[in-house]
Amino acid sequence: IYYFSNGKEYPGTDEFKERVRFIGDINKKDASIQLSPAVFSDNGTFFCDVKNPPDVTGTQARTELRVVLKESMPQSNTKIIIGAVCGALILLIFIAVAACFAIRVLHNRHDYEG
């Protein structure tokens, strides 16, 4: 996807060339890149291989990229949760009032039986 050598950037294949840029800081040992915009065909597993001469071996870093629709990601469930809790409380209050009313009605019938 991307190469960085001797302080120069070399975008890789045409598929990523216009969408990838270096955002890391070599002085802080950060070789981060940014791919924007990401598209569905970008889904997959990517490996990062850093070689810093005279070192020629190293452990590759593995990254799993999953591209999803923005609309399909949960935005905020706070409003739904608050609405559900308020609805449940109102339902419980309604049931309690109905139960009290039913107990009174049944209790009053027993008082007048003779």
Side-chain angles (χ1 to χ4, degrees):
I1 295 175
Y2 187 87
Y3 303 94
F4 189 89
S5 180
N6 295 324
K8 294 182 182 175
E9 301 176 27
Y10 301 98
T13 63
D14 288 339
E15 180 182 2
F16 300 106
K17 191 174 186 178
E18 300 297 323
R19 300 183 298 133
V20 67
R21 70 183 181 114
F22 183 77
I23 60 170
D25 184 349
I26 297 299
N27 295 324
K28 294 181 181 177
K29 299 182 181 181
D30 178 6
S32 299
I33 61 171
Q34 180 180 42
L35 181 63
S36 181
V39 295
F40 288 114
S41 61
D42 294 334
N43 280 319
T45 303
F46 295 87
F47 295 91
C48 177
D49 189 15
V50 177
K51 290 183 172 69
N52 190 16
D55 301 332
V56 291
T57 60
T59 304
Q60 288 185 336
R62 177 180 168 179
T63 300
E64 297 279 337
L65 177 64
R66 300 286 177 246
V67 180
V68 297
L69 287 174
K70 185 175 182 180
E71 292 82 23
S72 69
M73 296 182 68
Q75 297 297 320
S76 174
N77 293 334
T78 306
K79 291 179 183 178
I80 295 170
I81 292 170
I82 291 173
V85 169
C86 289
L89 287 174
I90 290 170
L91 182 62
L92 286 173
I93 291 170
F94 177 75
I95 291 171
V97 169
C100 287
F101 180 75
I103 290 171
R104 273 194 185 168
V105 168
L106 291 175
H107 184 67
N108 286 341
R109 284 186 184 170
H110 292 295
D111 286 346
Y112 295 113
E113 288 182 5

PDB file of all heavy atoms in Angstrom, residues 53-65:
ATOM      1  N   PRO A  53      17.614  -0.313   8.386  1.00  0.00           N
ATOM      2  CA  PRO A  53      18.996  -0.772   8.240  1.00  0.00           C
ATOM      3  C   PRO A  53      19.886  -0.219   9.361  1.00  0.00           C
ATOM      4  O   PRO A  53      19.694   0.919   9.778  1.00  0.00           O
ATOM      5  CB  PRO A  53      19.419  -0.207   6.895  1.00  0.00           C
ATOM      6  CG  PRO A  53      18.135  -0.002   6.160  1.00  0.00           C
ATOM      7  CD  PRO A  53      17.115   0.339   7.207  1.00  0.00           C
ATOM      8  N   PRO A  54      20.778  -1.005   9.874  1.00  0.00           N
ATOM      9  CA  PRO A  54      21.240  -2.306   9.372  1.00  0.00           C
ATOM     10  C   PRO A  54      20.352  -3.475   9.803  1.00  0.00           C
ATOM     11  O   PRO A  54      20.617  -4.602   9.421  1.00  0.00           O
ATOM     12  CB  PRO A  54      22.633  -2.443   9.992  1.00  0.00           C
ATOM     13  CG  PRO A  54      22.529  -1.703  11.284  1.00  0.00           C
ATOM     14  CD  PRO A  54      21.577  -0.570  11.031  1.00  0.00           C
ATOM     15  N   ASP A  55      19.295  -3.232  10.596  1.00  0.00           N
ATOM     16  CA  ASP A  55      18.389  -4.321  10.965  1.00  0.00           C
ATOM     17  C   ASP A  55      17.622  -4.754   9.715  1.00  0.00           C
ATOM     18  O   ASP A  55      17.075  -3.919   9.001  1.00  0.00           O
ATOM     19  CB  ASP A  55      17.377  -3.861  12.022  1.00  0.00           C
ATOM     20  CG  ASP A  55      18.049  -3.354  13.284  1.00  0.00           C
ATOM     21  OD1 ASP A  55      19.166  -3.818  13.565  1.00  0.00           O
ATOM     22  OD2 ASP A  55      17.455  -2.512  13.974  1.00  0.00           O
ATOM     23  N   VAL A  56      17.577  -6.044   9.472  1.00  0.00           N
ATOM     24  CA  VAL A  56      16.865  -6.526   8.288  1.00  0.00           C
ATOM     25  C   VAL A  56      15.731  -7.471   8.649  1.00  0.00           C
ATOM     26  O   VAL A  56      14.966  -7.873   7.791  1.00  0.00           O
ATOM     27  CB  VAL A  56      17.816  -7.238   7.296  1.00  0.00           C
ATOM     28  CG1 VAL A  56      18.754  -6.237   6.660  1.00  0.00           C
ATOM     29  CG2 VAL A  56      18.566  -8.360   7.976  1.00  0.00           C
ATOM     30  N   THR A  57      15.619  -7.808   9.919  1.00  0.00           N
ATOM     31  CA  THR A  57      14.530  -8.690  10.330  1.00  0.00           C
ATOM     32  C   THR A  57      13.675  -7.981  11.364  1.00  0.00           C
ATOM     33  O   THR A  57      14.121  -7.063  12.042  1.00  0.00           O
ATOM     34  CB  THR A  57      15.053 -10.009  10.935  1.00  0.00           C
ATOM     35  OG1 THR A  57      15.847  -9.690  12.088  1.00  0.00           O
ATOM     36  CG2 THR A  57      15.886 -10.782   9.938  1.00  0.00           C
ATOM     37  N   GLY A  58      12.457  -8.414  11.472  1.00  0.00           N
ATOM     38  CA  GLY A  58      11.530  -7.851  12.441  1.00  0.00           C
ATOM     39  C   GLY A  58      10.226  -8.617  12.403  1.00  0.00           C
ATOM     40  O   GLY A  58      10.021  -9.478  11.548  1.00  0.00           O
ATOM     41  N   THR A  59       9.369  -8.321  13.330  1.00  0.00           N
ATOM     42  CA  THR A  59       8.069  -8.972  13.384  1.00  0.00           C
ATOM     43  C   THR A  59       7.057  -8.117  12.654  1.00  0.00           C
ATOM     44  O   THR A  59       6.952  -6.919  12.896  1.00  0.00           O
ATOM     45  CB  THR A  59       7.620  -9.156  14.849  1.00  0.00           C
ATOM     46  OG1 THR A  59       8.637  -9.872  15.540  1.00  0.00           O
ATOM     47  CG2 THR A  59       6.315  -9.900  14.923  1.00  0.00           C
ATOM     48  N   GLN A  60       6.332  -8.745  11.746  1.00  0.00           N
ATOM     49  CA  GLN A  60       5.313  -8.011  11.009  1.00  0.00           C
ATOM     50  C   GLN A  60       4.113  -7.746  11.920  1.00  0.00           C
ATOM     51  O   GLN A  60       3.717  -8.597  12.701  1.00  0.00           O
ATOM     52  CB  GLN A  60       4.830  -8.812   9.805  1.00  0.00           C
ATOM     53  CG  GLN A  60       5.816  -8.907   8.688  1.00  0.00           C
ATOM     54  CD  GLN A  60       5.218  -9.618   7.479  1.00  0.00           C
ATOM     55  OE1 GLN A  60       4.288 -10.386   7.590  1.00  0.00           O
ATOM     56  NE2 GLN A  60       5.774  -9.347   6.310  1.00  0.00           N
ATOM     57  N   ALA A  61       3.557  -6.564  11.781  1.00  0.00           N
ATOM     58  CA  ALA A  61       2.319  -6.222  12.486  1.00  0.00           C
ATOM     59  C   ALA A  61       1.151  -6.572  11.568  1.00  0.00           C
ATOM     60  O   ALA A  61       1.214  -6.362  10.357  1.00  0.00           O
ATOM     61  CB  ALA A  61       2.289  -4.743  12.834  1.00  0.00           C
ATOM     62  N   ARG A  62       0.111  -7.112  12.155  1.00  0.00           N
ATOM     63  CA  ARG A  62      -1.068  -7.537  11.388  1.00  0.00           C
ATOM     64  C   ARG A  62      -2.248  -6.664  11.767  1.00  0.00           C
ATOM     65  O   ARG A  62      -2.511  -6.419  12.937  1.00  0.00           O
ATOM     66  CB  ARG A  62      -1.378  -8.994  11.711  1.00  0.00           C
ATOM     67  CG  ARG A  62      -2.594  -9.510  11.044  1.00  0.00           C
ATOM     68  CD  ARG A  62      -2.828 -10.950  11.429  1.00  0.00           C
ATOM     69  NE  ARG A  62      -4.153 -11.324  11.004  1.00  0.00           N
ATOM     70  CZ  ARG A  62      -4.667 -12.499  11.170  1.00  0.00           C
ATOM     71  NH1 ARG A  62      -3.985 -13.438  11.761  1.00  0.00           N
ATOM     72  NH2 ARG A  62      -5.883 -12.754  10.754  1.00  0.00           N
ATOM     73  N   THR A  63      -2.989  -6.200  10.767  1.00  0.00           N
ATOM     74  CA  THR A  63      -4.170  -5.369  10.989  1.00  0.00           C
ATOM     75  C   THR A  63      -5.343  -5.930  10.189  1.00  0.00           C
ATOM     76  O   THR A  63      -5.207  -6.203   9.004  1.00  0.00           O
ATOM     77  CB  THR A  63      -3.915  -3.911  10.550  1.00  0.00           C
ATOM     78  OG1 THR A  63      -2.839  -3.383  11.310  1.00  0.00           O
ATOM     79  CG2 THR A  63      -5.137  -3.046  10.751  1.00  0.00           C
ATOM     80  N   GLU A  64      -6.482  -6.089  10.863  1.00  0.00           N
ATOM     81  CA  GLU A  64      -7.713  -6.508  10.192  1.00  0.00           C
ATOM     82  C   GLU A  64      -8.529  -5.248   9.905  1.00  0.00           C
ATOM     83  O   GLU A  64      -8.848  -4.499  10.828  1.00  0.00           O
ATOM     84  CB  GLU A  64      -8.534  -7.437  11.097  1.00  0.00           C
ATOM     85  CG  GLU A  64      -7.854  -8.735  11.439  1.00  0.00           C
ATOM     86  CD  GLU A  64      -7.977  -9.773  10.349  1.00  0.00           C
ATOM     87  OE1 GLU A  64      -8.917  -9.687   9.539  1.00  0.00           O
ATOM     88  OE2 GLU A  64      -7.108 -10.654  10.313  1.00  0.00           O
ATOM     89  N   LEU A  65      -8.855  -5.012   8.669  1.00  0.00           N
ATOM     90  CA  LEU A  65      -9.652  -3.847   8.288  1.00  0.00           C
ATOM     91  C   LEU A  65     -11.048  -4.305   7.901  1.00  0.00           C
ATOM     92  O   LEU A  65     -11.209  -5.161   7.033  1.00  0.00           O
ATOM     93  CB  LEU A  65      -9.004  -3.092   7.126  1.00  0.00           C
ATOM     94  CG  LEU A  65      -9.784  -1.896   6.585  1.00  0.00           C
ATOM     95  CD1 LEU A  65      -9.911  -0.815   7.655  1.00  0.00           C
ATOM     96  CD2 LEU A  65      -9.111  -1.335   5.349  1.00  0.00           C
TER      97      LEU A  65
END
